[in-house]
Amino acid sequence: MSNDLPARLALSAPRRKLPLLNPLWRRRFKGLALPLLIVVALEFIVRIGWLPSYQMPAPSEIALTLTDLAEGALWKHIGASLIRVLLGFAIGASLALVFAAWVGLSREAEAYLEPTFAALRSIPSLAWVPLLLLWLGIDETSKIVLIAIGAFFPVYVNVVAAIRNIDRKLVEVGHIYGFSPLQLVRRILLPAALPGLFTGLRSGMSLAWMFLVAAELIAATKGLGYLLSDGRETSRPDIVLAAIIVLAQLGKLSDGLLAVLERRWLVWRDAFNGQGGKE
């Protein structure tokens, strides 16, 4: 009887779930299923000759090209593009937050600014390029300004909408307590508008990468957009696809970082509101 006790305890003990069976891991594997299927299918189609390799290289060939680029100038191109995107995004998003707070709080500001911003928002990215080149030349300034323009409008539109959706009673309470405009933004408007703010920031970051490529395709000697142009001019689709893959990964990484930051800020907001409720 005593000899059977350890065996019975082992059978009755709760089994630990394997890490791969965790819902988070299952969701990640589901997200990887389609890309892996596409890679395998393309490798097969190119290898049997259904698709010419000079038009669509096999994924294994693209991987070799990425390895060769990583041993050479790829990091220089990534660094140049990252600096441009971060500077342009920071400038565009900061200006968008200022104007969005102004327009969101003032109907007069909306009457003066909104028609102009609506017209500028509809201008395609490539239409800005020749004008900026004429005004600012082919140096870094024109590229950063173009990226800032791309990041400005998504942040502006989403933050204005978020401020407009805030309960007016909260603003009135701030006025009753004598909050200055800066205190009103920091203690009431910013916490209430956080979801819309981060939606705008993520959309702005996505457009910043798109405007980066528009700038680097036309006037650049380094950067991922230049790498795309170089692959086209030398008839190297493997280089073009390698640059596209790197751009996709950088865009996904930057969006993921903003998503993590959004979750932490929302936790901070809830904790801040909880403390306010206790007081």
Side-chain angles (χ1 to χ4, degrees), residues 123-139 141-143 145-146 149 211 213-219:
I123 298 175
S125 60
L126 289 177
W128 288 103
V129 174
L131 184 63
L132 292 176
L133 291 178
L134 287 173
W135 283 352
L136 303 173
I138 61 173
D139 293 334
T141 306
S142 60
K143 301 177 185 61
V145 169
L146 181 62
I149 292 172
F211 275 58
V213 174
E216 291 183 341
L217 277 174
I218 294 174

Side-chain angles (χ1 to χ4, degrees), residues 94-105 109 113 117 152 156 160 163:
S94 299
L95 289 174
L97 290 175
V98 172
F99 281 102
W102 187 16
V103 171
L105 293 173
L113 296 176
F117 284 166
F152 177 90
Y156 168 80
V160 168
I163 292 174

Side-chain angles (χ1 to χ4, degrees), residues 158-191:
N158 282 278
V159 175
V160 168
I163 292 174
R164 289 284 162 76
N165 290 329
I166 294 174
D167 190 350
R168 294 290 100 182
K169 293 179 181 179
L170 294 175
V171 180
E172 292 173 4
V173 169
H175 289 309
I176 291 173
Y177 279 95
F179 286 173
S180 67
L182 183 60
Q183 289 176 316
L184 192 67
V185 170
R186 183 175 61 87
R187 301 192 63 178
I188 293 179
L189 297 181
L190 180 60

Side-chain angles (χ1 to χ4, degrees), residues 23-246:
L24 179 60
W25 281 101
R26 283 204 301 267
R27 189 162 61 248
R28 288 178 178 175
F29 275 111
K30 288 178 181 178
L32 290 173
L34 182 59
L36 288 175
L37 181 62
I38 293 173
V39 167
V40 173
L42 280 176
E43 186 76 27
F44 176 75
I45 290 171
V46 174
R47 291 301 179 189
I48 65 175
W50 287 359
L51 194 63
S53 60
Y54 65 85
Q55 288 183 343
M56 180 66 207
S60 57
E61 184 180 345
I62 298 172
L64 291 174
T65 301
L66 273 171
T67 303
D68 293 339
L69 288 172
E71 295 173 353
L74 179 62
W75 300 108
K76 178 188 73 173
H77 295 305
I78 291 176
S81 293
L82 270 176
I83 291 172
R84 290 166 184 157
V85 166
L86 292 177
L87 284 175
F89 176 75
I91 294 170
S94 299
L95 289 174
L97 290 175
V98 172
F99 281 102
W102 187 16
V103 171
L105 293 173
S106 171
R107 293 293 178 180
E108 286 291 319
E110 180 186 15
Y112 282 107
L113 296 176
E114 185 57 30
T116 302
F117 284 166
L120 294 174
R121 190 165 63 245
S122 63
I123 298 175
S125 60
L126 289 177
W128 288 103
V129 174
L131 184 63
L132 292 176
L133 291 178
L134 287 173
W135 283 352
L136 303 173
I138 61 173
D139 293 334
E140 293 298 306
T141 306
S142 60
K143 301 177 185 61
I144 293 171
V145 169
L146 181 62
I147 295 166
I149 292 172
F152 177 90
F153 291 107
V155 178
Y156 168 80
V157 170
N158 282 278
V159 175
V160 168
I163 292 174
R164 289 284 162 76
N165 290 329
I166 294 174
D167 190 350
R168 294 290 100 182
K169 293 179 181 179
L170 294 175
V171 180
E172 292 173 4
V173 169
H175 289 309
I176 291 173
Y177 279 95
F179 286 173
S180 67
L182 183 60
Q183 289 176 316
L184 192 67
V185 170
R186 183 175 61 87
R187 301 192 63 178
I188 293 179
L189 297 181
L190 180 60
L194 272 179
L197 167 62
F198 276 99
T199 299
L201 289 176
R202 294 173 71 175
S203 300
M205 178 62 77
S206 176
L207 273 183
W209 283 107
M210 293 173 62
F211 275 58
L212 166 83
V213 174
E216 291 183 341
L217 277 174
I218 294 174
T221 56
K222 57 184 177 179
L224 294 170
Y226 167 77
L227 199 61
L228 284 169
S229 179
D230 183 60
R232 175 185 58 82
E233 292 175 358
T234 56
S235 299
R236 291 282 305 275
D238 56 325
I239 292 179
V240 173
L241 288 167
I244 290 173
I245 291 170
V246 174

Side-chain angles (χ1 to χ4, degrees), residues 244-265:
I244 290 173
I245 291 170
V246 174
L247 281 167
Q249 293 302 314
L250 290 174
K252 182 68 173 66
L253 178 61
S254 58
D255 182 76
L257 290 174
L258 285 175
V260 171
L261 188 61
E262 177 183 8
R263 288 194 292 270
R264 293 192 177 183
W265 273 77

